[in-house]
Coordinates of all heavy atoms in Angstrom, one line a residue:
M1 N -7.9 27.1 24.8 CA -8.9 26.2 24.5 C -9.6 26.5 23.2 O -10.0 25.6 22.5 CB -9.9 26.2 25.7 CG -11.0 25.1 25.5 SD -10.3 23.5 25.7 CE -11.8 22.5 25.7
Q2 N -9.7 27.8 23.0 CA -10.4 28.2 21.7 C -9.6 27.9 20.5 O -10.2 27.6 19.4 CB -10.6 29.8 21.8 CG -11.7 30.3 20.9 CD -11.9 31.7 21.2 OE1 -11.0 32.5 21.6 NE2 -13.2 32.2 21.0
G3 N -8.2 27.8 20.6 CA -7.4 27.4 19.5 C -7.7 26.0 19.1 O -7.7 25.6 17.9
I4 N -7.9 25.1 20.1 CA -8.1 23.7 19.8 C -9.4 23.5 19.1 O -9.5 22.8 18.1 CB -8.1 22.9 21.1 CG1 -6.7 22.9 21.7 CG2 -8.5 21.5 20.9 CD1 -6.6 22.3 23.1
V5 N -10.5 24.2 19.6 CA -11.8 24.1 18.9 C -11.7 24.6 17.5 O -12.2 24.0 16.5 CB -12.8 25.0 19.7 CG1 -14.2 25.1 19.0 CG2 -13.0 24.4 21.1
R6 N -11.0 25.7 17.3 CA -10.8 26.3 15.9 C -10.1 25.3 15.0 O -10.5 25.1 13.8 CB -10.1 27.6 16.0 CG -10.0 28.3 14.6 CD -9.3 29.7 14.8 NE -9.1 30.2 13.5 CZ -8.2 31.1 13.2 NH1 -7.3 31.5 14.1 NH2 -7.9 31.5 12.0
Y7 N -9.1 24.6 15.5 CA -8.3 23.7 14.8 C -9.2 22.6 14.3 O -9.2 22.2 13.1 CB -7.2 23.1 15.7 CG -6.5 21.9 15.0 CD1 -5.6 22.1 14.0 CD2 -6.9 20.6 15.4 CE1 -5.0 21.0 13.4 CE2 -6.3 19.5 14.8 CZ -5.3 19.7 13.8 OH -4.7 18.6 13.2
F8 N -10.1 22.0 15.2 CA -11.0 20.9 14.8 C -12.0 21.4 13.8 O -12.4 20.6 12.9 CB -11.6 20.2 16.0 CG -10.6 19.3 16.6 CD1 -10.0 19.6 17.9 CD2 -10.2 18.1 16.1 CE1 -9.1 18.7 18.5 CE2 -9.3 17.2 16.6 CZ -8.8 17.6 17.9
Q9 N -12.5 22.6 13.9 CA -13.5 23.1 13.0 C -12.9 23.3 11.6 O -13.5 22.9 10.6 CB -14.0 24.5 13.5 CG -14.9 24.4 14.7 CD -15.3 25.8 15.2 OE1 -14.6 26.8 15.0 NE2 -16.4 25.9 16.0
E10 N -11.7 23.8 11.6 CA -11.0 23.9 10.3 C -10.7 22.6 9.7 O -10.8 22.4 8.4 CB -9.7 24.8 10.5 CG -10.0 26.2 10.7 CD -8.8 27.0 11.0 OE1 -7.7 26.5 10.9 OE2 -8.9 28.3 11.3
A11 N -10.2 21.6 10.5 CA -10.0 20.3 10.0 C -11.2 19.7 9.4 O -11.2 19.0 8.4 CB -9.4 19.4 11.1
R12 N -12.3 19.8 10.0 CA -13.6 19.3 9.6 C -14.0 19.9 8.2 O -14.4 19.2 7.3 CB -14.7 19.6 10.6 CG -16.0 18.9 10.2 CD -17.0 19.1 11.3 NE -18.2 18.4 11.0 CZ -19.3 18.6 11.7 NH1 -19.4 19.3 12.8 NH2 -20.4 18.0 11.3
E13 N -13.8 21.2 8.1 CA -14.1 21.9 6.8 C -13.2 21.4 5.7 O -13.6 21.2 4.6 CB -13.9 23.4 7.0 CG -15.0 24.1 7.8 CD -16.4 23.9 7.2 OE1 -16.5 24.0 6.0 OE2 -17.3 23.5 8.0
E14 N -11.9 21.1 6.0 CA -11.0 20.6 5.0 C -11.3 19.2 4.6 O -11.2 18.8 3.4 CB -9.5 20.6 5.5 CG -8.9 22.0 5.6 CD -8.8 22.8 4.3 OE1 -8.5 22.1 3.3 OE2 -9.2 24.0 4.3
L15 N -11.8 18.4 5.5 CA -12.2 17.0 5.2 C -13.4 17.0 4.3 O -13.6 16.0 3.5 CB -12.4 16.2 6.5 CG -11.2 15.8 7.2 CD1 -11.6 15.1 8.5 CD2 -10.4 14.8 6.4
K16 N -14.2 18.0 4.3 CA -15.4 18.1 3.4 C -14.9 18.3 2.0 O -15.6 18.0 1.0 CB -16.3 19.2 3.8 CG -17.1 18.9 5.1 CD -18.0 20.1 5.4 CE -18.7 19.8 6.8 NZ -19.6 21.0 7.2
K17 N -13.7 18.9 1.8 CA -13.2 19.1 0.5 C -12.5 18.0 -0.2 O -12.2 18.0 -1.4 CB -12.2 20.3 0.5 CG -12.8 21.6 1.0 CD -11.7 22.7 1.1 CE -12.2 23.9 1.8 NZ -11.1 24.9 1.9
V18 N -12.3 16.9 0.6 CA -11.5 15.8 0.1 C -12.4 15.0 -0.9 O -13.6 14.8 -0.6 CB -11.1 14.8 1.3 CG1 -10.5 13.5 0.8 CG2 -10.1 15.6 2.2
N19 N -11.8 14.6 -2.0 CA -12.5 13.8 -3.0 C -12.2 12.3 -2.6 O -11.3 11.7 -3.0 CB -11.9 14.1 -4.4 CG -12.7 13.4 -5.5 OD1 -13.7 12.9 -5.2 ND2 -12.1 13.4 -6.6
W20 N -13.1 11.7 -1.8 CA -13.0 10.4 -1.4 C -13.2 9.4 -2.5 O -14.1 9.5 -3.3 CB -14.0 10.1 -0.2 CG -13.7 11.0 0.9 CD1 -14.4 12.1 1.3 CD2 -12.7 10.8 1.9 NE1 -13.9 12.6 2.5 CE2 -12.8 11.9 2.9 CE3 -11.6 9.9 2.1 CZ2 -11.9 12.0 3.9 CZ3 -10.8 10.1 3.2 CH2 -11.0 11.1 4.1
P21 N -12.5 8.3 -2.6 CA -12.6 7.3 -3.6 C -13.9 6.5 -3.3 O -14.4 6.3 -2.2 CB -11.4 6.3 -3.5 CG -11.0 6.5 -2.1 CD -11.3 7.9 -1.7
T22 N -14.5 5.9 -4.4 CA -15.7 5.1 -4.3 C -15.3 3.7 -3.9 O -14.1 3.4 -3.9 CB -16.4 5.0 -5.7 OG1 -15.5 4.3 -6.6 CG2 -16.8 6.4 -6.2
R23 N -16.2 2.9 -3.5 CA -15.9 1.6 -3.1 C -15.3 0.7 -4.2 O -14.3 0.0 -4.0 CB -17.3 0.9 -2.7 CG -17.1 -0.5 -2.2 CD -18.5 -1.1 -1.8 NE -18.4 -2.5 -1.5 CZ -18.1 -3.1 -0.4 NH1 -17.8 -2.3 0.6 NH2 -18.1 -4.4 -0.2
V24 N -15.7 0.9 -5.4 CA -15.1 0.3 -6.6 C -13.7 0.6 -6.8 O -12.8 -0.2 -7.0 CB -16.0 0.5 -7.8 CG1 -15.3 -0.1 -9.1 CG2 -17.4 0.0 -7.7
Q25 N -13.4 1.9 -6.6 CA -12.0 2.4 -6.8 C -11.1 1.8 -5.7 O -10.0 1.4 -6.0 CB -11.9 3.9 -6.7 CG -12.5 4.6 -7.9 CD -12.6 6.1 -7.8 OE1 -12.8 6.6 -6.6 NE2 -12.5 6.8 -8.8
V26 N -11.6 1.7 -4.5 CA -10.8 1.1 -3.4 C -10.6 -0.4 -3.7 O -9.5 -0.9 -3.5 CB -11.5 1.3 -2.0 CG1 -10.9 0.5 -0.9 CG2 -11.6 2.8 -1.7
L27 N -11.6 -1.1 -4.1 CA -11.4 -2.5 -4.4 C -10.5 -2.7 -5.6 O -9.7 -3.7 -5.5 CB -12.8 -3.1 -4.7 CG -13.8 -3.2 -3.5 CD1 -15.1 -3.8 -3.9 CD2 -13.2 -4.1 -2.4
E28 N -10.6 -1.9 -6.6 CA -9.6 -2.1 -7.7 C -8.2 -1.8 -7.3 O -7.3 -2.5 -7.7 CB -10.0 -1.1 -8.9 CG -11.3 -1.6 -9.6 CD -11.7 -0.5 -10.7 OE1 -11.2 0.6 -10.7 OE2 -12.7 -0.9 -11.4
G29 N -8.0 -0.8 -6.5 CA -6.7 -0.5 -6.0 C -6.1 -1.6 -5.1 O -5.0 -1.9 -5.2
T30 N -7.0 -2.1 -4.3 CA -6.6 -3.2 -3.4 C -6.2 -4.4 -4.2 O -5.2 -5.1 -3.9 CB -7.7 -3.5 -2.4 OG1 -8.0 -2.4 -1.7 CG2 -7.3 -4.7 -1.5
Q31 N -7.0 -4.7 -5.2 CA -6.7 -5.8 -6.1 C -5.3 -5.7 -6.8 O -4.5 -6.6 -6.9 CB -7.8 -6.0 -7.1 CG -7.6 -7.2 -8.0 CD -8.8 -7.3 -9.0 OE1 -9.6 -6.4 -9.2 NE2 -8.9 -8.5 -9.7
T32 N -5.1 -4.5 -7.3 CA -3.9 -4.2 -8.0 C -2.7 -4.4 -7.1 O -1.7 -5.0 -7.5 CB -3.9 -2.8 -8.6 OG1 -5.0 -2.6 -9.5 CG2 -2.6 -2.4 -9.3
V33 N -2.8 -3.9 -5.9 CA -1.7 -4.0 -5.0 C -1.5 -5.5 -4.6 O -0.4 -6.0 -4.5 CB -1.9 -3.2 -3.7 CG1 -0.9 -3.5 -2.6 CG2 -1.9 -1.7 -4.0
F34 N -2.5 -6.2 -4.4 CA -2.5 -7.6 -4.0 C -1.8 -8.4 -5.1 O -0.9 -9.2 -4.9 CB -3.9 -8.2 -3.7 CG -3.9 -9.6 -3.2 CD1 -3.4 -9.8 -1.9 CD2 -4.4 -10.6 -4.0 CE1 -3.4 -11.1 -1.4 CE2 -4.4 -11.9 -3.5 CZ -3.9 -12.1 -2.2
I35 N -2.1 -8.2 -6.4 CA -1.5 -8.9 -7.5 C 0.0 -8.5 -7.6 O 0.8 -9.4 -7.8 CB -2.3 -8.6 -8.8 CG1 -3.6 -9.2 -8.8 CG2 -1.4 -9.0 -10.0 CD1 -4.5 -8.8 -9.9
F36 N 0.3 -7.3 -7.4 CA 1.7 -6.8 -7.4 C 2.5 -7.5 -6.4 O 3.6 -7.9 -6.6 CB 1.8 -5.3 -7.3 CG 3.2 -4.8 -7.4 CD1 3.9 -4.7 -8.6 CD2 3.8 -4.3 -6.2 CE1 5.2 -4.2 -8.6 CE2 5.1 -3.8 -6.2 CZ 5.8 -3.8 -7.4
V37 N 2.0 -7.6 -5.1 CA 2.7 -8.2 -4.0 C 2.9 -9.7 -4.3 O 4.0 -10.2 -4.1 CB 1.9 -8.0 -2.7 CG1 2.4 -8.9 -1.6 CG2 1.9 -6.6 -2.3
I38 N 1.9 -10.4 -4.9 CA 2.1 -11.8 -5.2 C 3.2 -11.9 -6.3 O 4.1 -12.8 -6.2 CB 0.8 -12.4 -5.7 CG1 -0.2 -12.5 -4.5 CG2 1.0 -13.8 -6.4 CD1 -1.6 -13.0 -4.9
F39 N 3.1 -11.0 -7.3 CA 4.2 -11.1 -8.4 C 5.6 -10.9 -7.8 O 6.5 -11.6 -8.1 CB 3.8 -10.1 -9.4 CG 4.9 -9.9 -10.5 CD1 5.1 -10.9 -11.5 CD2 5.8 -8.8 -10.4 CE1 6.1 -10.7 -12.4 CE2 6.8 -8.7 -11.4 CZ 6.9 -9.6 -12.4
M40 N 5.7 -9.9 -7.0 CA 7.1 -9.6 -6.4 C 7.5 -10.7 -5.5 O 8.7 -11.0 -5.5 CB 7.0 -8.2 -5.7 CG 6.9 -7.0 -6.6 SD 8.1 -6.9 -7.9 CE 9.6 -6.7 -7.0
T41 N 6.6 -11.3 -4.8 CA 7.0 -12.4 -3.9 C 7.5 -13.6 -4.7 O 8.5 -14.1 -4.3 CB 5.7 -12.8 -3.0 OG1 5.3 -11.7 -2.2 CG2 6.1 -14.0 -2.1
L42 N 6.8 -13.9 -5.7 CA 7.2 -15.0 -6.6 C 8.6 -14.7 -7.3 O 9.4 -15.5 -7.4 CB 6.2 -15.3 -7.6 CG 4.9 -15.9 -7.1 CD1 3.8 -16.1 -8.1 CD2 5.2 -17.3 -6.4
L43 N 8.7 -13.4 -7.7 CA 10.0 -13.1 -8.4 C 11.2 -13.1 -7.4 O 12.2 -13.7 -7.7 CB 9.8 -11.6 -8.9 CG 11.1 -11.0 -9.6 CD1 11.4 -11.8 -10.9 CD2 10.9 -9.6 -9.9
I44 N 11.0 -12.6 -6.2 CA 12.1 -12.6 -5.3 C 12.4 -14.1 -4.8 O 13.5 -14.5 -4.7 CB 11.8 -11.7 -4.0 CG1 11.8 -10.3 -4.5 CG2 12.8 -12.0 -2.9 CD1 11.3 -9.3 -3.5
W45 N 11.3 -14.9 -4.6 CA 11.5 -16.3 -4.3 C 12.3 -17.0 -5.4 O 13.2 -17.8 -5.1 CB 10.1 -17.0 -4.0 CG 10.3 -18.5 -3.8 CD1 10.6 -19.0 -2.6 CD2 10.1 -19.5 -4.8 NE1 10.6 -20.4 -2.8 CE2 10.3 -20.7 -4.1 CE3 9.8 -19.5 -6.1 CZ2 10.2 -21.9 -4.7 CZ3 9.7 -20.8 -6.7 CH2 9.9 -21.9 -6.0
G46 N 11.9 -16.8 -6.7 CA 12.5 -17.4 -7.8 C 14.0 -17.0 -7.9 O 14.9 -17.9 -8.1
M47 N 14.3 -15.8 -7.7 CA 15.7 -15.3 -7.7 C 16.5 -15.9 -6.6 O 17.6 -16.3 -6.7 CB 15.7 -13.8 -7.6 CG 15.2 -13.1 -8.9 SD 15.1 -11.3 -8.8 CE 16.8 -10.9 -8.5
D48 N 15.9 -16.0 -5.4 CA 16.6 -16.6 -4.2 C 16.9 -18.0 -4.5 O 17.9 -18.5 -4.2 CB 15.7 -16.4 -3.0 CG 16.3 -17.0 -1.8 OD1 17.4 -16.6 -1.4 OD2 15.7 -17.9 -1.2
R49 N 15.9 -18.7 -5.1 CA 16.1 -20.1 -5.4 C 17.3 -20.3 -6.4 O 18.1 -21.2 -6.2 CB 14.8 -20.7 -6.0 CG 14.7 -22.2 -6.1 CD 14.5 -22.7 -4.7 NE 14.6 -24.2 -4.8 CZ 15.3 -25.0 -4.1 NH1 15.9 -24.5 -3.0 NH2 15.3 -26.2 -4.3
L50 N 17.3 -19.5 -7.4 CA 18.4 -19.5 -8.4 C 19.7 -19.3 -7.8 O 20.8 -20.0 -8.0 CB 18.1 -18.6 -9.6 CG 17.1 -19.0 -10.5 CD1 16.8 -17.9 -11.5 CD2 17.4 -20.2 -11.3
F51 N 19.8 -18.2 -7.0 CA 21.1 -18.0 -6.3 C 21.5 -19.1 -5.3 O 22.7 -19.4 -5.3 CB 21.0 -16.6 -5.5 CG 20.9 -15.4 -6.4 CD1 20.1 -14.4 -6.0 CD2 21.6 -15.3 -7.6 CE1 20.0 -13.2 -6.9 CE2 21.5 -14.2 -8.4 CZ 20.7 -13.2 -8.0
H52 N 20.5 -19.7 -4.7 CA 20.8 -20.8 -3.8 C 21.4 -22.0 -4.6 O 22.4 -22.5 -4.2 CB 19.5 -21.2 -3.0 CG 19.7 -22.3 -2.1 ND1 20.4 -22.3 -0.9 CD2 19.3 -23.6 -2.3 CE1 20.4 -23.4 -0.3 NE2 19.7 -24.3 -1.2
L53 N 20.8 -22.2 -5.7 CA 21.3 -23.4 -6.5 C 22.6 -23.0 -7.1 O 23.5 -23.9 -7.2 CB 20.3 -23.7 -7.6 CG 18.9 -24.2 -7.2 CD1 18.0 -24.3 -8.4 CD2 19.1 -25.6 -6.6
G54 N 22.8 -21.8 -7.5 CA 24.1 -21.4 -8.0 C 25.2 -21.4 -7.0 O 26.3 -21.9 -7.3
M55 N 24.9 -21.0 -5.8 CA 26.0 -21.0 -4.7 C 26.2 -22.4 -4.4 O 27.4 -22.8 -4.1 CB 25.5 -20.2 -3.5 CG 25.5 -18.7 -3.8 SD 27.1 -18.1 -4.2 CE 28.0 -18.3 -2.7
G56 N 25.2 -23.3 -4.4 CA 25.4 -24.7 -4.1 C 26.3 -25.4 -5.1 O 27.2 -26.2 -4.7
A57 N 26.1 -25.0 -6.3 CA 27.0 -25.6 -7.4 C 28.4 -25.1 -7.3 O 29.4 -25.8 -7.5 CB 26.4 -25.3 -8.8
L58 N 28.6 -23.8 -6.9 CA 29.9 -23.3 -6.8 C 30.7 -23.8 -5.6 O 31.9 -24.0 -5.7 CB 29.9 -21.7 -6.7 CG 29.6 -20.9 -7.9 CD1 29.4 -19.5 -7.6 CD2 30.7 -21.1 -8.9
L59 N 30.0 -24.1 -4.6 CA 30.7 -24.6 -3.3 C 30.9 -26.1 -3.4 O 31.7 -26.6 -2.5 CB 29.8 -24.2 -2.1 CG 29.7 -22.8 -1.9 CD1 28.7 -22.5 -0.7 CD2 31.0 -22.1 -1.6
K60 N 30.4 -26.8 -4.3 CA 30.6 -28.3 -4.4 C 31.9 -28.6 -5.1 O 32.7 -28.0 -5.8 CB 29.5 -29.0 -5.1 CG 28.3 -29.2 -4.2 CD 27.3 -30.1 -4.9 CE 26.2 -30.3 -4.0 NZ 25.2 -31.2 -4.5

């Protein structure tokens, strides 16, 4: 039992050392990821559309 208590005490001490991001940093990171996901989605959709049209032309 004492090992478990020690583990949580040490974990708590380590969490105090963490450099947590500010609210602004989190929002900026989230915005960057969101824009990247939209860009990649449109890129993959566009490539899929081109391949679909290309395959359709080849099969006709």
Side-chain angles (χ1 to χ4, degrees):
M1 186 67 175
Q2 203 172 29
I4 295 173
V5 171
R6 183 174 174 208
Y7 170 80
F8 282 109
Q9 287 173 341
E10 290 176 3
R12 186 175 181 188
E13 289 300 315
E14 289 298 319
L15 284 173
K16 289 180 183 178
K17 298 176 188 176
V18 173
N19 186 13
W20 296 102
T22 64
R23 178 179 173 88
V24 173
Q25 290 172 327
V26 171
L27 291 175
E28 287 175 352
T30 302
Q31 181 182 15
T32 301
V33 170
F34 188 68
I35 290 170
F36 180 75
V37 167
I38 290 173
F39 172 76
M40 291 304 294
T41 300
L42 292 173
L43 178 67
I44 292 171
W45 175 81
M47 290 174 63
D48 179 57
R49 193 75 185 131
L50 286 173
F51 290 142
H52 178 75
L53 292 172
M55 289 301 293
L58 284 174
L59 295 175
K60 279 188 179 184

